[in-house]
Amino acid sequence: MNDFDFNNRSYRVYVQADQKFRSESKDMRSYYLRSDTGKMIPLDNVVQIEQTENPQVISHYNLFRAAEIDGSAAPGLSSGKP
């Protein structure tokens, strides 16, 4: 994702590709961008790919990220006891 300005407006750019063209990190060699000198260079020359794991869903409460905590009282205690 990138932003650029044109005619006093800001535009957001998203790069999209079908899954078969983006399923492996080596596929980044297939994408090119124009350098400041006008030369086309492979995208993998300017980006570094790092494998990470993320949750499938990120919960929010009042627009802030939130975590759900579930629990129960210990045997013989109620949730109202301090």
Side-chain angles (χ1 to χ4, degrees), residues 1 6 11 14-15 18 20 25 31-32 35 40 45 48 54-55 58 60 64-67 69 71 73 75-76 78:
M1 178 173 60
F6 180 71
Y11 295 89
Y14 295 92
V15 176
D18 195 4
K20 64 183 178 182
S25 59
Y31 298 99
Y32 289 79
S35 71
M40 298 300 284
N45 283 1
Q48 180 179 343
N54 296 319
I58 299 175
H60 289 80
F64 293 99
R65 289 185 180 179
I69 301 174
S78 73

Side-chain angles (χ1 to χ4, degrees), residues 2-5 8 13-17 22 27 29 31-33 37 41 43 54 56-57 60 67 75 78 81-82:
N2 191 19
D3 295 337
F4 77 95
D5 295 326
N8 295 324
V13 178
Y14 295 92
V15 176
Q16 297 179 340
R22 59 177 167 83
D27 294 333
R29 292 185 212 124
Y31 298 99
Y32 289 79
L33 57 103
T37 62
I41 57 173
L43 183 60
N54 296 319
Q56 290 183 2
V57 176
H60 289 80
S78 73
K81 270 193 168 174

